[in-house]
């Protein structure tokens, strides 16, 4: 029976899950010599946003630097008043002096048309503008204010993200669609009308921008909501109806594990379906928490899904009654922190190191097997097991570590492996 099952499996091999991306236009976001491609055949871009007062140029520049060093490829900053707009060039200059060339996106609500016109140096220092068509003006002034922002974006050759939020949706548009729906023989639900209003606001605004002279390959769209199923439904329909690059993210994901789980659930579904060209995890930091955490989590979803590689990944067992010692947990944490800290240096010197897999296992049940599957792995002794830790390199048992210095010795083994394997790749690339 087992041979028949095996034959049947090999007769029709199990296919890999499709991760092909939908075809979109490609938007180029620039600053100096830095070029970030959004959409088309480019990889999904990780974005983030500061939470400093933009009028405090030093504090904002420092946080932008931290986000960029964590891996954010575009950083959005609030530009909400004259003081903030006045300081944007200073922020850009400070970043340039620090060697941080990450593009800045200005986040505008209510008064963006006025700020961009009154502070042309701010308009020039930004690499991209975010426009919310739901609050760009009142029902009387909306069209003129939106047109003015598009005109200024064209003047300075800046791409825009037209970002619709259901918390600040164009109420005139929503009321019109509600009235039209009420007259239908079979009216849609209020939720379905809300979906339609979000999508209509985004697409109609993009088409209006093109009518006003903005090239279609300068426009990114987003339709953000705060609930997972709503986001999935809206973006499936939005992607079906347009070929603009799409920015993904929940409007307010939440704090801690809730925010991470909610964002991962929504974005994981959409990314698996090929929907999404840029992402942001809108996590609420704990008091005094690290803002850059949202960048790391964004990178991790792309890497665990096989869409991109940013830093070597550590596989570690969860622990059980066989592993009452905390040593393997401490070693896994230490190695993971060490790998992430080394990446700014390794990325330039050891091409391909970001794809490396490291296993830190806690007992003999899965330890040796998982370690063999990794590039480099260690199988630590569980409770009652012999106090030795075999190390596997590229599937082969290479050595056994013993004694008090196992953690330090294993870190040295990892360093030596990186230099040997990925240093050769660097020599081949630059003979």
């Amino acid at each position: 029976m087992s041979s028949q099952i095996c034959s049947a499996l090999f007769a029709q091999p199990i296919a890999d899950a499709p991760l092909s991306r939908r075809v979109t236009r490609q938007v180029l976001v620039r600053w100096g010599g830095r070029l970030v491609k959004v959409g088309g055949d480019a990889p999904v871009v990780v974005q983030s946003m500061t939470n400093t007062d933009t009028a405090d140029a030093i504090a904002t520049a420092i946080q932008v630097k931290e986000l960029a060093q964590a891996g954010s490829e575009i950083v959005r900053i609030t530009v909400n008043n004259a003081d903030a707009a006045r300081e944007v060039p200073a922020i850009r200059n400070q970043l340039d002096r620090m060697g941080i060339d990450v593009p800045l996106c200005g986040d505008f609500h209510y008064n963006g048309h006025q700020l961009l016109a009154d502070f042309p140096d701010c308009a020039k220092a930004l690499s991209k503008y975010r426009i919310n068509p739901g609050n760009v003006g009142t029902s009387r002034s909306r069209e003129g204010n939106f047109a003015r922002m598009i005109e200024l974006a064209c003047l300075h050759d800046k791409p825009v993200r037209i970002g619709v939020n259901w918390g600040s949706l164009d109420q005139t548009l929503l009321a019109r669609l509600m009235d039209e729906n009420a007259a239908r023989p079979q009216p849609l639900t209020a939720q379905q009308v809300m979906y339609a209003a979000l999508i209509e606001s985004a697409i109609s605004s993009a088409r209006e921008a093109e009518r006003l002279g903005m090239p279609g390959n300068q426009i990114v769209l987003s339709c953000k909501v705060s609930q997972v199923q709503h986001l999935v439904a809206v973006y499936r329909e939005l992607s079906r109806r347009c070929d603009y690059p799409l920015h993904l993210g929940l409007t307010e994901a939440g704090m801690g594990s809730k925010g991470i789980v909610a964002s991962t659930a929504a974005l994981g579904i959409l990314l698996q379906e090929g929907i999404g060209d840029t992402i942001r995890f809108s996590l609420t930091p704990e008091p005094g928490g690290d803002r850059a955490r949202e960048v790391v989590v964004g990178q991790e979803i792309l890497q665990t899904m096989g869409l991109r590689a940013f830093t070597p990944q550590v596989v570690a067992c969860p622990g059980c009654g066989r592993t009452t010692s905390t040593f393997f947990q401490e070693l896994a944490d230490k190695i993971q922190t060490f790998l992430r800290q080394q990446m700014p240096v390794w990325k330039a010197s050891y091409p391909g190191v970001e794809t490396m897999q490291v296993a830190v296992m806690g007992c003999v049940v899965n330890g040796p097997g998982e370690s063999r599957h990794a590039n480099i792995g260690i199988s630590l002794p569980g409770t009652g097991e012999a106090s030795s830790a075999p190390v596997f390199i590229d599937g082969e048992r290479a050595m056994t570590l013993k004694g008090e210095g196992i953690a330090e010795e294993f870190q040295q083994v990892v360093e030596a492996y990186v230099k040997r394997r990925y240093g050769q790749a660097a020599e081949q690339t630059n003979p």
Side-chain angles (χ1 to χ4, degrees):
M1 175 65 82
S2 61
S3 62
Q4 292 175 347
I5 294 173
C6 187
S7 298
L9 284 173
F10 281 107
Q12 292 184 335
I14 299 172
D16 290 334
L19 281 171
S20 58
R21 301 261 308 287
R22 74 184 187 116
V23 178
T24 70
R25 311 181 195 199
Q26 187 169 86
V27 174
L28 304 180
V29 184
R30 301 181 177 88
W31 182 257
R34 178 78 174 272
L35 176 64
V36 178
K37 298 178 180 179
V38 178
D41 59 354
V44 180
V45 171
V46 177
Q47 297 195 33
S48 61
M49 185 173 184
T50 59
N51 61 358
T52 55
D53 181 356
T54 307
D56 186 339
I58 297 300
T60 302
I62 289 171
Q63 190 172 81
V64 171
K65 177 182 178 181
E66 292 170 349
L67 293 167
Q69 289 181 331
S72 183
E73 293 160 300
I74 298 174
V75 177
R76 185 156 44 111
I77 61 176
T78 297
V79 188
N80 58 332
N81 54 42
D83 290 338
R86 190 177 293 110
E87 292 302 317
V88 169
I91 293 167
R92 182 72 267 175
N93 289 337
Q94 181 64 35
L95 290 168
D96 291 343
R97 286 195 295 271
M98 294 188 293
I100 304 297
D101 59 357
V102 65
L104 296 178
C105 174
D107 193 59
F108 295 98
H109 299 272
Y110 308 108
N111 58 356
H113 60 288
Q114 184 176 354
L115 294 175
L116 286 170
D118 291 348
F119 298 92
D121 287 343
C122 167
K124 295 174 186 175
L126 295 168
S127 297
K128 181 183 173 191
Y129 308 154
R130 184 278 174 99
I131 304 173
N132 183 342
N135 59 28
V136 75
T138 64
S139 57
R140 291 182 179 180
S141 62
R142 181 175 293 110
E143 289 185 9
N145 292 349
F146 180 81
R148 182 60 175 148
M149 291 194 75
I150 295 300
E151 176 188 344
L152 290 165
C154 292
L155 175 65
H156 297 290
D157 191 25
K158 307 292 184 179
V160 300
R161 171 161 69 92
I162 296 175
V164 181
N165 287 354
W166 73 344
S168 53
L169 186 58
D170 181 346
Q171 294 302 301
T172 302
L173 171 63
L174 181 59
R176 176 173 64 80
L177 292 183
M178 286 290 189
D179 290 342
E180 292 176 0
N181 183 59
R184 291 168 58 94
Q186 295 181 321
L188 303 174
T189 66
Q191 182 173 289
Q192 289 171 320
V193 176
M194 174 73 78
Y195 292 168
L198 285 163
I199 295 166
E200 176 63 23
S201 178
I203 293 178
S204 63
S205 296
R207 289 175 178 162
E208 177 64 9
E210 289 199 64
R211 189 190 69 79
L212 291 166
M214 171 154 279
N217 62 357
Q218 290 273 66
I219 299 171
V220 178
L221 296 187
S222 66
C223 284
K224 288 191 174 183
V225 299
S226 58
Q227 296 182 24
V228 171
Q229 297 295 347
H230 294 170
L231 192 83
V232 171
V234 166
Y235 271 89
R236 280 174 172 166
E237 181 62 15
L238 181 62
S239 70
R240 188 185 70 81
R241 290 182 52 187
C242 76
D243 65 350
Y244 298 105
L246 302 181
H247 172 72
L248 303 185
L250 293 173
T251 306
E252 301 93 10
M255 181 178 286
S257 60
K258 184 270 177 185
I260 294 173
V261 170
S263 291
T264 301
L267 271 59
I269 293 170
L270 293 168
L271 291 168
Q272 183 70 21
E273 295 178 4
I275 299 170
D277 302 283
T278 76
I279 63 170
R280 184 196 170 205
F281 274 62
S282 299
L283 303 180
T284 304
E286 290 81 0
D290 184 3
R291 187 68 170 182
R293 189 183 187 195
E294 68 177 49
V295 179
V296 174
V297 176
Q299 290 179 329
E300 287 177 346
I301 187 176
L302 296 178
Q303 184 145 359
T304 54
M305 291 185 70
L307 291 169
R308 292 190 66 181
F310 297 94
T311 190
Q313 297 290 285
V314 176
V315 176
C317 67
C320 64
R322 299 177 62 92
T323 57
T324 54
S325 168
T326 61
F327 182 70
F328 84 94
Q329 299 165 327
E330 294 162 358
L331 178 56
D333 181 64
K334 183 180 292 186
I335 289 296
Q336 186 161 277
T337 300
F338 167 73
L339 294 173
R340 186 165 285 279
Q341 289 174 342
Q342 293 302 306
M343 274 309 294
V345 176
W346 284 356
K347 186 176 182 180
S349 303
Y350 303 115
V353 68
E354 65 274 7
T355 65
M356 182 175 69
Q357 295 284 327
V358 179
V360 179
M361 305 301 293
C363 77
V364 297
V365 174
N366 289 324
E370 286 283 1
S371 296
R372 283 191 175 93
H373 289 308
N375 295 105
I376 182 168
I378 186 169
S379 181
L380 295 163
T383 304
E385 295 176 5
S387 58
S388 62
V391 174
F392 297 83
I393 297 177
D394 292 331
E396 300 294 333
R397 183 166 178 162
M399 65 193 72
T400 300
L401 303 181
K402 298 179 180 181
E404 299 294 325
I406 287 178
E408 291 73 17
E409 289 182 50
F410 183 63
Q411 182 170 306
Q412 291 171 7
V413 171
V414 171
E415 281 191 272
Y417 178 81
V418 168
K419 292 177 181 178
R420 184 178 69 254
R421 174 165 179 174
Y422 300 100
Q424 292 175 353
E427 291 175 4
Q428 293 171 0
T429 304
N430 302 296

